[in-house]
Amino acid sequence: MLPPAPPPTNEAERLERLRALAVLDTAPEPLFDTLSRLAAAICGTPIALLSLVDASRQWFKANVGLPGVSETPRELAFCAHAILDGEVLEVGDACADPRFAGNPLVTGEPGIRFYAGAPIELPGGVRLGTLCVIDRQPRRLDPAQREQLRELAAAAAQALELREQALASALAARSRHEAELTGHVQSLNSVLDQLPAAVSVWSRDMRNVYANAELARWMGTTPQALAGCSIDAVVGAQRTAVRDLRREAVLRGEIQQFEILLAPPQGGPPRSMRITLLPWRAADGTIDGFVALGLDVTAEREAATLARLMAAIVDGSNDAIFGQNMAGQVTSWNAAAESMLGWRREEIIGQPAWKLFSKGALALAAMNGEQGTLSSFETQCRHKDGREVVVAASLSPIRDERGRVLGISAILRDIGPLRDALSALRESEAFLDRTGRLARIGGWEVDLAAGRIRWSPQLRAILGMPPDAEPTVADALAMYAEPGRGQLAAAIEAASQGVQAFDLQLALRTACGRDLTVRVIGEPVPKDGRIVRVAGALQDVTGCVTAAGAALAAALAQAAAPPGAAPGA
């Protein structure tokens, strides 16, 4: 174990003022007990002490979590180190700190691993001790907890200062002493009123003894108006959760901590409140009631929910999504980005974005970040294996709460397969168009609900119609000669009822006066259990019919010729 902490340079003055307070070895006081309980609740530790460092010992004016211990030797005291400086002394892991690793309070009971002590400093730089919190496992305070621990220590210092002033004044006049005690209470109230938490004290019969400004604001009233009120007036319909489930435990001396939804009495949506109930002990150690600390964690809960939702959306997206800071380093990377570009998240985070983009895209990204504008473009990204991936990129600025641009968010969509599909579609359409022109086949469909007919460009060409012609069903039927016109109309009507498909060979006259023989086939098209269209194709078979007729005529002529006659005679 290393040597103990050296004494402060003003040690003689410090001990003189400490003893002049006549506070050493005095009974517990609710004020200091409350400050210690608040420190433990705010910092989330099982132990909190208000420690005064004497010449050879540290003595506890208030003690939360170390029952039966009132003092320890000064050479073992963490607080002896804390009073050497005006800042909060925080020891995240005592076992890893050379000053304390061999300390019996670390290696033995109570097994200190974490310590944070805020000096209790009187005017003139005299530090009498600390308000400290202790845990049996390593940890760290967040900035808000450190600040609130410092404020609570300042409240203890103010209380001791007022005590000092009150003792001095008591020698002059009792009235002045009483006035300064009143100022003592007002000073403490001022400190508690500045805390961003609802602080209240309740008697065993659930009546309000004290309420700070935050609780009064929540209730839409004043602290004075709450004095003596039943707890029912504060928690309303949720009183069962506090009274029946928690009251008995806290009155047995157990600290209770839970979250509950509370609706403000003056109206508005329920708020998520983190409630801590601390036993309130009288001077003789009996529990007279409890202290309630309420923190509104609605924003924290909503932010956490939103963060989880956004993370799930981003990670579940089929598009690659990543962020980069203004220095050009990748800061986030979703699963689709890993799949598209081959880089694992742990490989690419912190790496320069030039590994992903071409120089032109990087320049556009930098300009986008500086101007804080949205831009979309097509570019090529580099896969980890060196090949290039064609993407549609959308870049947008990442801003802080003040609107300042902190970086760039990039959304990438792989459009290589889409380009291949469009190319294949164009080739397929060209193939079908050539086939239709060579075979003189066109397509048609009748929309039964609208009563409209639609023709393909090839069918318009076969029937001599302009490319922009929009014929009606009647116009189309009028081209056919009877009885074929009636046959086609009946076939379309039967198909519209879902009866059957049809295949007809009919004669028609085109818009430019040509007589054609055509083959018309059609079938019903169902949707949601009913026929919505009749669709089919028309083929010009005039040449086939003419050729077939000529062949038939030649065969008949050959059959009628005298025996031995030459073919064609």
Side-chain angles (χ1 to χ4, degrees):
M1 178 176 169
L2 294 176
T9 56
N10 61 348
E11 177 70 355
E13 179 188 0
R14 194 187 68 80
L15 291 175
E16 181 180 354
R17 292 187 70 175
L18 173 60
R19 289 163 184 166
L21 284 171
V23 68
L24 293 171
D25 300 308
T26 57
E29 295 180 41
L31 169 61
F32 298 111
D33 290 344
T34 297
L35 291 174
S36 298
R37 292 188 185 102
L38 287 175
I42 289 170
C43 298
T45 61
I47 301 170
L49 305 169
L50 198 156
S51 172
L52 300 174
V53 180
D54 199 1
S56 61
R57 62 172 179 158
Q58 66 171 350
W59 178 79
F60 305 138
K61 176 61 179 173
N63 182 332
V64 174
L66 285 180
V69 180
S70 62
E71 64 182 58
T72 63
R74 179 168 174 171
E75 61 267 21
L76 303 182
F78 283 54
C79 297
H81 293 264
I83 63 172
L84 297 177
D85 194 342
E87 298 299 320
V88 175
L89 172 65
E90 184 171 357
V91 180
D93 186 353
C95 290
D97 193 316
R99 295 171 296 177
F100 308 109
N103 193 313
L105 300 179
V106 175
T107 59
E109 288 296 321
I112 298 174
R113 293 296 296 277
F114 167 79
Y115 169 90
I120 299 174
E121 182 173 339
L122 297 184
V126 175
R127 304 181 192 102
L128 302 181
T130 70
L131 178 61
C132 64
V133 292
I134 295 171
D135 206 341
R136 295 182 176 89
Q137 57 186 6
R139 56 176 301 161
R140 284 287 179 187
L141 298 182
D142 61 39
Q145 289 171 323
R146 289 174 63 90
E147 182 58 29
Q148 291 178 27
L149 181 62
R150 185 182 292 109
E151 290 180 1
L152 291 174
Q158 290 175 16
L160 290 173
E161 181 188 357
L162 289 171
R163 181 191 188 98
E164 181 182 56
Q165 295 171 2
L167 288 172
S169 299
L171 300 175
R174 181 178 178 85
S175 59
R176 183 178 176 184
H177 173 70
E178 292 175 348
E180 289 180 349
L181 285 178
T182 301
H184 177 185
V185 174
Q186 290 173 346
S187 178
L188 175 60
N189 286 344
S190 176
V191 172
L192 294 178
D193 283 344
Q194 294 176 33
L195 292 177
V199 181
S200 56
V201 181
W202 302 87
S203 63
R204 292 187 70 92
D205 62 355
M206 308 295 278
R207 296 285 173 179
N208 182 256
V209 177
Y210 167 82
N212 75 339
E214 179 66 12
L215 178 61
R217 183 198 63 77
W218 168 268
M219 293 296 298
T221 184
T222 64
Q224 295 76 15
L226 287 173
C229 288
S230 167
I231 199 170
D232 291 359
V234 176
V235 297
Q238 289 90 9
R239 60 184 179 276
T240 301
V242 177
R243 175 184 290 173
D244 296 343
L245 300 182
R246 308 289 179 175
R247 175 176 176 268
E248 294 304 323
V250 74
L251 292 180
R252 289 194 304 268
E254 301 173 12
I255 295 175
Q256 297 291 296
Q257 203 165 45
F258 56 96
E259 287 190 17
I260 188 172
L261 279 177
L262 288 176
Q266 64 270 33
R271 310 292 294 175
S272 294
M273 302 294 292
R274 183 185 297 140
I275 308 295
T276 302
L277 304 181
L278 308 165
W280 172 35
R281 298 181 184 273
D284 61 0
T286 59
I287 298 176
D288 284 348
F290 59 89
V291 177
L293 175 68
L295 295 174
D296 188 341
V297 295
T298 305
E300 178 183 334
R301 291 290 168 264
E302 290 175 349
T305 300
L306 180 60
R308 288 193 297 271
L309 176 61
M310 293 303 296
I313 291 174
V314 169
D315 221 40
S317 173
N318 292 326
D319 294 331
I321 302 175
F322 69 90
Q324 69 179 71
N325 57 25
M326 296 305 292
Q329 297 169 317
V330 177
T331 56
S332 62
W333 191 256
N334 75 340
E338 181 174 322
S339 175
M340 181 186 297
L341 299 178
W343 299 91
R344 296 195 308 276
R345 185 173 297 164
E346 58 270 22
E347 293 177 319
I348 199 66
I349 295 296
Q351 295 296 314
W354 58 259
K355 288 190 174 184
L356 310 173
F357 280 120
S358 64
K359 290 184 178 179
L362 274 178
L364 183 58
M367 182 175 65
N368 168 272
E370 292 171 0
Q371 298 177 351
T373 58
L374 175 69
S375 60
S376 299
F377 54 92
E378 291 186 9
T379 186
Q380 291 180 332
C381 286
R382 298 190 187 95
H383 193 277
K384 181 182 177 181
D385 62 12
R387 59 189 169 89
E388 293 189 333
V389 180
V390 181
V391 299
S394 178
L395 305 182
S396 58
I398 301 173
R399 301 179 186 272
D400 64 11
E401 64 277 2
R402 297 182 181 178
R404 296 175 299 188
V405 178
L406 301 179
I408 300 166
S409 172
I411 302 176
L412 309 179
R413 177 165 293 178
D414 185 353
I415 59 174
L418 176 61
R419 285 189 170 185
D420 294 342
L422 289 175
S423 176
L425 178 61
R426 286 192 292 268
E427 292 179 2
S428 176
E429 289 175 343
F431 172 76
L432 291 175
D433 184 64
R434 287 193 302 271
T435 301
R437 283 187 288 103
L438 293 173
R440 290 186 61 77
I441 297 174
W444 59 270
E445 70 173 16
V446 176
D447 186 328
L448 298 175
R452 291 197 302 268
I453 189 169
R454 187 164 68 94
W455 287 350
S456 70
Q458 183 59 31
L459 183 57
R460 289 190 179 90
I462 293 171
L463 299 181
M465 299 289 287
D468 58 349
E470 295 289 343
T472 65
V473 175
D475 294 338
L477 290 174
M479 292 184 172
Y480 294 88
E482 291 289 4
R485 183 185 306 164
Q487 292 175 349
L488 179 57
I492 292 174
E493 176 63 26
S496 71
Q497 303 301 318
V499 175
Q500 60 185 6
F502 58 86
D503 188 341
L504 302 173
Q505 183 168 301
L506 306 171
L508 63 74
R509 177 164 291 178
T510 68
C512 53
R514 289 186 60 206
D515 290 325
L516 301 179
T517 301
V518 297
R519 180 186 180 190
V520 183
I521 60 175
E523 65 180 8
V525 179
K527 182 179 180 181
D528 299 332
R530 61 189 185 89
I531 307 302
V532 294
R533 296 191 304 276
V534 177
L538 179 149
Q539 183 179 19
D540 179 4
V541 295
T542 305
C544 297
V545 170
T546 302
L552 178 61
L556 291 174
Q558 182 65 37

